[in-house]
């Protein structure tokens, strides 16, 4: 598996750009986010190539996503996300009834405890909505 130099250069340019924005150097969480997004883009591209009946290009994208993913720390499990979300929900005053406002507060509190680069944000959103629905019934 050889990572295409063009893709590697695009990832490095994103890291360099992040480095320029937050001197003296980009925090590791920013670099992890960049790598996660790069891997996700390749997985999405692979899915599109499969739909277009181009398995050769899909394989290439999947291989690159696997290489990039090898450099990433694991994301938190759903159980760990649930545990933190339950803790956050317990901190909310019971008088708040606007679920949209509460959802924003839940996310803000959750991400103050957990680095965004260490979770699948879609999983956090799904679990928060499920727990808030379950909590309000």
């Amino acid at each position: 598996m050889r990572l295409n130099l063009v893709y590697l250069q695009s990832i490095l340019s994103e890291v360099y750009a992040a480095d320029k924005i937050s001197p003296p150097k980009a925090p590791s969480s920013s670099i992890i986010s960049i790598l996660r997004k790069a891997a996700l883009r390749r997985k999405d591209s692979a899915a599109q190539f499969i739909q277009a009946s181009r398995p050769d290009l899909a394989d290439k994208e999947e291989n690159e996503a696997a290489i990039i993913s090898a450099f990433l720390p694991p994301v938190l499990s759903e159980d760990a996300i649930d545990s933190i979300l339950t803790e956050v929900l317990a901190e909310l005053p019971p008088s708040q009834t606007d679920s949209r406002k509460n959802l924003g507060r839940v996310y803000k509190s959750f991400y103050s405890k957990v680095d965004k680069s260490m979770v699948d944000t879609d999983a956090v959103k799904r679990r928060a909505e499920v727990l808030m629905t379950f909590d309000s019934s």
Side-chain angles (χ1 to χ4, degrees):
M1 288 194 292
R2 194 181 125 237
L3 186 61
N4 188 331
L5 188 57
V6 173
Y7 288 123
L8 183 59
Q9 287 173 332
S10 71
I11 294 169
L12 284 175
S13 70
E14 290 180 54
V15 172
Y16 292 145
D19 219 14
K20 288 180 183 179
I21 291 171
S22 56
K25 67 181 205 177
S28 60
S29 62
S30 295
I31 295 170
I32 291 170
S33 293
I34 290 167
L35 290 174
R36 283 200 201 287
K37 288 176 187 174
L40 183 60
R41 279 194 304 266
R42 280 150 187 84
K43 289 176 185 174
D44 290 343
S45 294
Q48 289 176 1
F49 284 132
I50 288 171
Q51 287 179 344
S53 300
R54 292 297 310 264
D56 55 323
L57 296 176
D59 288 343
K60 178 180 161 286
E61 293 291 323
E62 287 170 351
N63 289 338
E64 289 177 4
I67 291 170
I68 294 168
S69 295
F71 291 98
L72 294 170
V75 294
L76 287 179
S77 68
E78 278 197 9
D79 290 340
I81 291 171
D82 282 355
S83 173
I84 297 167
L85 283 172
T86 303
E87 184 181 307
V88 166
L89 288 171
E91 295 169 358
L92 280 178
S95 63
Q96 296 173 340
T97 56
D98 184 319
S99 63
R100 280 213 180 271
K101 233 182 223 183
N102 282 345
L103 200 53
R105 289 184 179 119
V106 167
Y107 292 148
K108 185 176 181 179
S109 182
F110 179 86
Y111 289 120
S112 72
K113 297 175 185 221
V114 177
D115 190 321
K116 207 171 194 174
S117 68
M118 298 306 292
V119 294
D120 175 0
T121 55
D122 291 333
V124 172
K125 182 179 178 185
R126 279 192 315 274
R127 298 307 305 155
E129 289 171 354
V130 166
L131 289 173
M132 287 186 75
T133 303
F134 180 78
D135 192 43
S136 65
S137 44

